[in-house]
Amino acid sequence: MFPYRLPEVDNSSRYIIYGTGEIASQYYYQLSEKFGEDSIAFFLDTYSSKKTFKEKPVLNPQVLIERNDLNNYLFLIASIAAKEEMTLTLRKFGIKE
């Protein structure tokens, strides 16, 4: 059904999905099924010109600099090929695993 299964998640958090490809799409649907669409705050994408994905905002990771509420979210990296780059980007903005 979903080749890209979500890691362990809980319903006590909202999620930011880093990526807007097939894995991100599958994570979106799995989170929506488990916790509802409101469990996803927005998507991050470094190189995309998309404004929305699955009717949620798509933001460049640079916006993380301006936010002071990042501890309220859990981040999901939705990529295999760019996982290391995405991890480094999140660390640059103070997000830890």
Side-chain angles (χ1 to χ4, degrees):
M1 183 147 91
F2 290 111
Y4 301 104
R5 302 289 307 156
L6 272 174
E8 277 298 313
V9 294
D10 62 57
N11 65 351
S12 65
S13 298
R14 292 192 72 208
Y15 293 88
I16 297 170
I17 300 174
Y18 196 161
T20 56
E22 181 59 30
I23 296 173
S25 180
Q26 290 188 27
Y27 283 2
Y28 171 84
Y29 287 120
Q30 291 173 71
L31 284 169
S32 294
E33 281 181 9
K34 282 182 112 163
F35 310 125
E37 290 180 13
D38 287 340
S39 64
I40 301 108
F42 56 88
F43 291 87
L44 291 175
D45 199 311
T46 306
Y47 304 108
S48 179
S49 60
K50 297 176 186 175
K51 300 283 189 223
T52 61
F53 184 71
K54 306 297 181 194
E55 298 182 19
K56 297 284 183 180
V58 176
L59 306 175
N60 186 288
Q62 282 295 125
V63 303
L64 298 178
I65 292 172
E66 303 162 5
R67 298 189 67 115
N68 59 2
D69 63 344
L70 296 177
N71 290 332
N72 298 331
Y73 300 98
L74 292 178
F75 289 78
L76 293 171
I77 294 177
S79 176
I80 295 170
K83 180 180 179 183
E84 292 302 316
E85 177 185 349
M86 291 172 159
T87 300
L88 290 173
T89 298
L90 291 175
R91 284 185 183 150
K92 182 170 85 174
F93 295 113
I95 308 301
K96 295 176 176 55
E97 291 182 45

